[in-house]
Amino acid sequence: MNKILYKLSEKYEEEQFELKAQIKNMKKIVAEEKKHELNADGFFQIARKYSEIEKLTLDILQEFIDKIVVHHRKEIMGETVQKIEIYHKMIGHIEIPKMKKLEKERYIKIFSSQRAEQIA
């Protein structure tokens, strides 16, 4: 009988230890999510402040951007590629999906025609 009680008690203590560890981990996750939510709210407050800007200034950039990391250029299949990571204040780095070739060509066409209009 004592052996059974001992085993049950031992199993109970193991379960309690595991549950306490899970609770601690879950509290940490919740705290991180709340922190991220507050940071996102702060970022959106700044974004609302500048929702109708006509000219991008250094002050505006400094309010939004924490740092910019520019990687070395590479040539991939005959095309020069350079990775740039922009770390925003309060929300960090956001990974933007790669554009398809047709999208890229469309943007190049749009922006190159706008640049030509500005120069003229």
Side-chain angles (χ1 to χ4, degrees):
M1 184 89 153
N2 282 340
K3 286 182 182 180
I4 295 172
L5 287 174
Y6 179 75
K7 282 186 179 182
L8 287 173
S9 175
E10 193 174 77
K11 188 175 179 181
Y12 175 78
E13 286 179 23
E14 286 176 15
E15 287 176 1
Q16 287 297 309
F17 180 77
E18 288 176 16
L19 289 172
K20 285 179 182 179
Q22 287 177 353
I23 289 170
K24 184 178 179 180
N25 188 38
M26 288 180 181
K27 284 182 178 180
K28 183 179 176 183
I29 291 169
V30 168
E32 285 293 319
E33 285 299 317
K34 283 183 180 180
K35 180 180 173 187
H36 180 72
E37 187 177 305
L38 290 173
N39 288 341
D41 288 343
F43 181 81
F44 286 126
Q45 283 179 344
I46 295 170
R48 284 186 203 99
K49 179 178 168 183
Y50 294 110
S51 63
E52 295 183 28
I53 61 170
E54 292 184 21
K55 185 176 180 182
L56 188 59
T57 64
L58 182 60
D59 291 335
I60 295 170
L61 282 175
Q62 287 175 338
E63 201 160 350
F64 276 106
I65 306 298
D66 189 31
K67 68 180 177 179
I68 299 174
V69 178
V70 180
H71 296 270
H72 292 285
R73 282 182 277 179
K74 298 177 186 176
E75 191 162 320
I76 301 174
M77 296 184 343
E79 187 175 336
T80 302
V81 178
Q82 188 168 17
K83 184 176 180 180
I84 299 172
E85 297 174 357
I86 300 173
Y87 291 82
H88 301 83
K89 288 190 176 172
M90 295 181 240
I91 59 173
H93 174 64
I94 300 171
E95 191 70 36
I96 298 173
K98 292 184 180 181
M99 280 191 242
K100 295 178 182 169
K101 190 171 184 172
L102 290 174
E103 289 177 305
K104 188 187 287 186
E105 289 171 358
R106 193 175 116 238
Y107 281 112
I108 290 170
K109 185 178 178 181
I110 291 169
F111 287 112
S112 62
S113 67
Q114 287 178 352
R115 178 179 263 170
E117 289 173 10
Q118 289 176 348
I119 294 171

